[in-house]
Amino acid sequence: MNTTTYAFSFLILLSFLANVFSQTENSVSFVLSCGSVNSSTDSDGRVWDLDSKYLKSEDNSVPSKAQFQDPSLPSTIPYMNARIFTAEASYTFSVSPKQRHWVRLHFYPSSYSSLNATDAFFSVVAGGVTLLNNFSAYITAEALTQAYIVREFSLSPFPTGKLDLTFKPSDKHSGSFAFINGIEVIPMPELFHPAPVVGSVHQLIDAKLSNIQTMYRLNVGGNYIAPTNDSGLTRTWYDDSPYLFGANVGVTMDAEKNLTIRYKETPEYIAPIDVYSTSRSMGPEPEVNANANLTWVFQVDPNFMYVVRFHFCDLQMTKVNQRVFDIYLNNRTAQAQADVVLWAGSGGVPVYKDYAIYVTDAPGDDQLWVAMHPTVSARPEFYDALLNGLEIFKLNDSRGNLAGPNPVPSPMLVKAQAETPRAFAPSKSSLHARMIGGAAAAVGLLAAVCIVAYRRKKRGLGEDACRSGWLPLYGGSSRTSGSKSTISGKSTASSHLSTEAVSLCRHFSLAEIKKGTNNFDESEVIGVGGFGKVYKGVIDGNTMVAIKRANPSSDQGVHEFETEIEMLSKLRHRHLVSLIGYCEEENEMILVYDYMAFGTLREHLYKTNKDPLSWKKRLEICIGAARGLHYLHTGAKYTIIHRDVKTTNILLNEKWVAKVSDFGLSKTGPNLNHNQSHVSTVVKGSFGYLDPEYFRRQQLTEKSDVYSFGVVLFEVLCARPALNPSLPKEQVSLADWALHCQARGTLEDIIDPELKGKITPECLKKFAETAEKCLSDHGVDRPSMGDVLWNLEFALQLQENPDGVKPEKDEEKELQLGSHETNISIYQATLGLGDESDVSKQQSESMVFSQLINPKGR
Ligand SMILES: *[C@@H]1O[C@H](CO)[C@@H](O)[C@H](O)[C@H]1NC(C)=O
Ligand SMILES: *[C@@H]1O[C@H](CO)[C@@H](O)[C@H](O)[C@H]1NC(C)=O
Ligand SMILES: *[C@@H]1O[C@H](CO)[C@@H](O)[C@H](O)[C@H]1NC(C)=O
Ligand SMILES: *[C@@H]1O[C@H](CO)[C@@H](O)[C@H](O)[C@H]1NC(C)=O
Ligand SMILES: *[C@@H]1O[C@H](CO)[C@@H](O)[C@H](O)[C@H]1NC(C)=O
Ligand SMILES: *[C@@H]1O[C@H](CO)[C@@H](O)[C@H](O)[C@H]1NC(C)=O
Ligand SMILES: *[C@@H]1O[C@H](CO)[C@@H](O)[C@H](O)[C@H]1NC(C)=O
Ligand SMILES: *[C@@H]1O[C@H](CO)[C@@H](O)[C@H](O)[C@H]1NC(C)=O
Ligand SMILES: *[C@@H]1O[C@H](CO)[C@@H](O)[C@H](O)[C@H]1NC(C)=O
Ligand SMILES: *[C@@H]1O[C@H](CO)[C@@H](O)[C@H](O)[C@H]1NC(C)=O
């Protein structure tokens, strides 16, 4: 979408909002930083006013400053100031009597002068509606592992034109007090209307008559949207991936560059265009979809009515009955045969649907399950489901109450907390924490900057963003081809491929490819990327292969196609996904690869119902991937920098052999003969794995891959995504969080629970140190891939043989543990560079080996 359209729609929105808000004179917003002495601006540029002039009386309250600044606070305003209430006290706001209002409360449970936030239990009542009761911001923050808490409410109009917001310390706890850091009271358009109740015929709930708390607001398949980027209502939208349940997480997609999203019936303020331009659907395999649900699970308070709002905008389909699905809430059908195009009238038009459901108090019933499944009986063209955005609102109960109980922290969290008490007062230990925190905050800031840059890139170069999700060359079963390339004499006349490439790589006829894929049957599609589609296919009667077919309109032209063949055909290694051959006929550009039966490494780590991998297997996979990368860096004539190392680009064959895939972004690095030590380039790669130095200086070295591989190592150890924007800020980036824990000696608390007690301490130490070194801020401080490989081999030895020095059965793997003296001939064997499939270059290997004998930085 171009800036003009954007600016234009923004103008429309402004004039619309101006209309809404001019209906009444008295529609003022209040954005207050409580306990501040003057108005100030937060890190997003919003201005926060002082609160004192709205207090009914300044008795019973004192302004105070937090004594400790948690590094994960997004901004000092409004969190570092607070107003403390030692007894009941109220604010009064004059508001429009006809409008609904957002009330947002910001809490930072810290210690304020001599008061300890653990003692703060209090209620908040707004115009007679209990928003919070016996509320402990401290317990809530601990349970959610967040430093601060924001609660958003949408309150019905106050006919008197006065909104009283009352804070009252609990009388059930001695020494209790109340506090508040920030208050927003903002007029809003009416967003609610009657919604059908799931499980009852014809019953409607009119949310318009209720006061409402926002529980979740998600940009499904998309990214975090800051309040300043909402469509005028200062809402925050989060990524949905943390709430996905099970292994069927579907696929996300972005609107094509040429697709304009047109708001018709749906007003633009309902949700910003960023919500509608990204989506999650089930994926391209109909047989899989027909037997699976796309499911999200949310924690909610029991004994309340909820309204669940689904935002849809079909970015692919244009006709009715192409994609038809059922929607379930808590295992009951909320909507049968949802057809977004039917509702919207066409593709690219936003619509939303509300359903209400009551969540009861049965044991374990404090969850809300949202699931989608293709309506097979309606015989749609595609067995698929779709979602662009999701909001979950809690409605007041019949007594006008909205308050739920304090959450209960998980036992694991309690244990972790007991071991590493969080310091409030600036003692020696918290000073230490603060120093580490400062560093984490700096990196966190960089992460935020990166998200923005990444988002911009995503908008600007949609194609590119697609590409990084490219090439899952895997599927259900069957054997992999042993890349037995036959040499074909009939290379096409038009081809500009070198004779070397032609001789290393098999040429397929289009007829063979068509036969192998059932004439490109859609049911054979196993992946889709910016380049085109990937099909599962069969050649030579029974050899399974992955067939990548360029989309004729793809940006990737003949030149890139031939570059890929040139490059890949020369790269043969047991730990690289092999290019078996290609087909260049009738304007088709087709590549044929190894078929990887066990899929990506990631799908064996988390959000999966596959069996957890043993630690030994994980180590072996890491070692295999490290070998592949080491080969790329040093084994070929030129240094090849992968540029997109991540767990979805490490594939597994049916024997659990790890192979590095997707050289789509690869870049040939500096020739070792030249003095230039980096390649200058536009930043590409996947966020969360991106080398900070590469990002800062736009300079690519093989150490950028080492950094990404360090993230992969922690991902394997902790079984969580590299980036999880829904977590508290300090934990969003796995790299930052793992380094932080490693520095504090608490890494063990964040490792995959499946691995608890199964890693020998020596092995864990070696592995973590290796990963940590990979994540060094400066490339020069990071080990080479050869060193990483050496250390991982060592870690494996320490796992199998923790006492060290004792030699293994396998004599080749004998190591002189505990000493840095190494024996070259041993490493030549263990590094596996002399593989049968390895077109290796001995001279560059010996360079690596000389690095190994001279192990600096270990
Ligand atoms: C706010 O007050 C503080 C201390 O009174 C002062 O240092 C600061 O400059 C003031 N800021 C503004 C924007 O007036
Ligand atoms: C809002 O979006 C714009 C454009 O996508 C981006 O430049 C800006 O940084 C975003 N603001 C925030 C606070 O994320
Ligand atoms: C947008 O481009 C894609 C391919 O690049 C094409 O399939 C689609 O039809 C185009 N859509 C519109 C609305 O032009
Ligand atoms: C829904 O069904 C799943 C199993 O299919 C079950 O695990 C879950 O607890 C159910 N959820 C509710 C809210 O009943
Ligand atoms: C999908 O979810 C619904 C509701 O929970 C359930 O009835 C159905 O069996 C599920 N289908 C699959 C394939 O899991
Ligand atoms: C919320 O409270 C209002 C009155 O304050 C009541 O009319 C409405 O029914 C309540 N909502 C629910 C879902 O009980
Ligand atoms: C208040 O909350 C605390 C912590 O959740 C709980 O232990 C206590 O029982 C609650 N008190 C009341 C009166 O509900
Ligand atoms: C706050 O109270 C908790 C629990 O009573 C205690 O562990 C902690 O040390 C206190 N913090 C300070 C700064 O007094
Ligand atoms: C590389 O740099 C060294 C010293 O700076 C110089 O002697 C050598 O000639 C350079 N080599 C090339 C290929 O430029
Ligand atoms: C390296 O190991 C081989 C066989 O294990 C042995 O013959 C050789 O002497 C060793 N070399 C050194 C330098 O230790």
Side-chain angles (χ1 to χ4, degrees), residues 256 258-259 551 553:
E256 293 271 356
N258 57 2
L259 183 87
N551 181 341
S553 65

PDB file of all heavy atoms in Angstrom, residues 256 258-259 551 553, ligand 3:
ATOM      1  N   GLU A 256      -0.532  -9.357  -0.731  1.00  0.00           N
ATOM      2  CA  GLU A 256       0.319  -9.086  -1.892  1.00  0.00           C
ATOM      3  C   GLU A 256       0.461  -7.569  -2.055  1.00  0.00           C
ATOM      4  O   GLU A 256      -0.437  -6.817  -1.694  1.00  0.00           O
ATOM      5  CB  GLU A 256      -0.353  -9.623  -3.168  1.00  0.00           C
ATOM      6  CG  GLU A 256      -0.484 -11.126  -3.244  1.00  0.00           C
ATOM      7  CD  GLU A 256       0.732 -11.778  -3.869  1.00  0.00           C
ATOM      8  OE1 GLU A 256       1.638 -11.042  -4.313  1.00  0.00           O
ATOM      9  OE2 GLU A 256       0.783 -13.019  -3.880  1.00  0.00           O
ATOM     10  N   ASN A 258       0.154  -5.834  -4.572  1.00  0.00           N
ATOM     11  CA  ASN A 258      -0.839  -5.227  -5.470  1.00  0.00           C
ATOM     12  C   ASN A 258      -2.254  -5.276  -4.899  1.00  0.00           C
ATOM     13  O   ASN A 258      -3.182  -4.797  -5.518  1.00  0.00           O
ATOM     14  CB  ASN A 258      -0.796  -5.901  -6.855  1.00  0.00           C
ATOM     15  CG  ASN A 258      -1.032  -7.403  -6.768  1.00  0.00           C
ATOM     16  OD1 ASN A 258      -1.270  -7.935  -5.677  1.00  0.00           O
ATOM     17  ND2 ASN A 258      -1.002  -8.084  -7.898  1.00  0.00           N
ATOM     18  N   LEU A 259      -2.432  -5.851  -3.719  1.00  0.00           N
ATOM     19  CA  LEU A 259      -3.781  -5.991  -3.174  1.00  0.00           C
ATOM     20  C   LEU A 259      -4.131  -4.785  -2.303  1.00  0.00           C
ATOM     21  O   LEU A 259      -3.409  -4.471  -1.363  1.00  0.00           O
ATOM     22  CB  LEU A 259      -3.876  -7.274  -2.333  1.00  0.00           C
ATOM     23  CG  LEU A 259      -5.260  -7.565  -1.780  1.00  0.00           C
ATOM     24  CD1 LEU A 259      -6.083  -8.359  -2.779  1.00  0.00           C
ATOM     25  CD2 LEU A 259      -5.181  -8.308  -0.477  1.00  0.00           C
ATOM     26  N   ASN A 551       7.241 -19.498  -9.809  1.00  0.00           N
ATOM     27  CA  ASN A 551       6.032 -18.848 -10.245  1.00  0.00           C
ATOM     28  C   ASN A 551       6.420 -17.951 -11.414  1.00  0.00           C
ATOM     29  O   ASN A 551       7.361 -17.177 -11.302  1.00  0.00           O
ATOM     30  CB  ASN A 551       5.580 -18.029  -9.031  1.00  0.00           C
ATOM     31  CG  ASN A 551       4.328 -17.285  -9.262  1.00  0.00           C
ATOM     32  OD1 ASN A 551       3.932 -17.066 -10.401  1.00  0.00           O
ATOM     33  ND2 ASN A 551       3.709 -16.886  -8.186  1.00  0.00           N
ATOM     34  N   SER A 553       5.408 -15.292 -12.478  1.00  0.00           N
ATOM     35  CA  SER A 553       5.420 -13.857 -12.194  1.00  0.00           C
ATOM     36  C   SER A 553       6.381 -13.512 -11.068  1.00  0.00           C
ATOM     37  O   SER A 553       6.428 -12.400 -10.594  1.00  0.00           O
ATOM     38  CB  SER A 553       4.011 -13.401 -11.818  1.00  0.00           C
ATOM     39  OG  SER A 553       3.631 -14.021 -10.622  1.00  0.00           O
TER      40      SER A 553
HETATM   41  C1  LIG B   3      -1.451  -9.680  -7.539  1.00  0.00           C
HETATM   42  O1  LIG B   3      -0.308 -10.364  -7.993  1.00  0.00           O
HETATM   43  C2  LIG B   3      -0.424 -11.767  -7.954  1.00  0.00           C
HETATM   44  C3  LIG B   3       0.865 -12.370  -8.389  1.00  0.00           C
HETATM   45  O2  LIG B   3       1.918 -11.510  -8.191  1.00  0.00           O
HETATM   46  C4  LIG B   3      -1.568 -12.225  -8.871  1.00  0.00           C
HETATM   47  O3  LIG B   3      -1.707 -13.629  -8.764  1.00  0.00           O
HETATM   48  C5  LIG B   3      -2.850 -11.556  -8.422  1.00  0.00           C
HETATM   49  O4  LIG B   3      -3.874 -11.885  -9.309  1.00  0.00           O
HETATM   50  C6  LIG B   3      -2.678 -10.059  -8.372  1.00  0.00           C
HETATM   51  N1  LIG B   3      -3.869  -9.480  -7.783  1.00  0.00           N
HETATM   52  C7  LIG B   3      -4.445  -8.393  -8.237  1.00  0.00           C
HETATM   53  C8  LIG B   3      -5.633  -7.926  -7.488  1.00  0.00           C
HETATM   54  O5  LIG B   3      -4.028  -7.806  -9.217  1.00  0.00           O
END
